[in-house]
Amino acid sequence: MTGPDYLSALLLLAGALFFLAGTLGLLRFPDVYTRLHALTKADNVGLGLIVLGLALQSGSWLVAGKLVLIWLLVLLAGASVAHLIARGARQRGIPEWRR
């Protein structure tokens, strides 16, 4: 294995760990709003790291560009959906978690 292979493996592993952290946040946090925060932040970073790791392995600028474009579209969609879910929860009167 070469240096880029090790870096790619490290990025893929780090991305998987961010996905795991987002999933744990979904299961552990007390209300809709904090769960959304955990999912959107961790999943966006995790996918970004995975895309970087895959782009290093792609061997083509065209494929790497497509991967980055997919990541940007997922960022846009994730933010939009999280906003819609939070707005729907607020309209239904779901309260924020208070200690």
Side-chain angles (χ1 to χ4, degrees), residues 74-96:
V74 169
L75 284 174
L76 181 64
S80 300
V81 170
H83 177 76
L84 289 174
I85 291 171
R87 188 172 67 178
R90 172 119 5 216
Q91 287 175 349
R92 285 187 173 78
I94 297 174
E96 295 177 6

Side-chain angles (χ1 to χ4, degrees), residues 11-77:
L11 288 170
L12 291 171
L13 182 63
L17 290 175
F18 270 93
F19 274 119
L20 179 65
T23 302
L24 290 176
L26 174 67
L27 297 174
R28 301 266 312 162
F29 285 143
D31 68 341
V32 173
Y33 309 106
T34 55
R35 289 176 182 171
L36 278 174
H37 177 77
L39 278 178
T40 54
K41 298 298 182 191
D43 286 354
N44 288 336
V45 172
L47 183 60
L49 291 172
I50 287 175
V51 163
L52 285 175
L54 291 175
L56 285 175
Q57 291 295 317
S58 69
S60 167
W61 286 103
L62 182 63
V63 173
K66 288 179 184 179
L67 287 170
V68 170
L69 180 63
I70 290 169
W71 178 51
L72 292 175
L73 291 173
V74 169
L75 284 174
L76 181 64

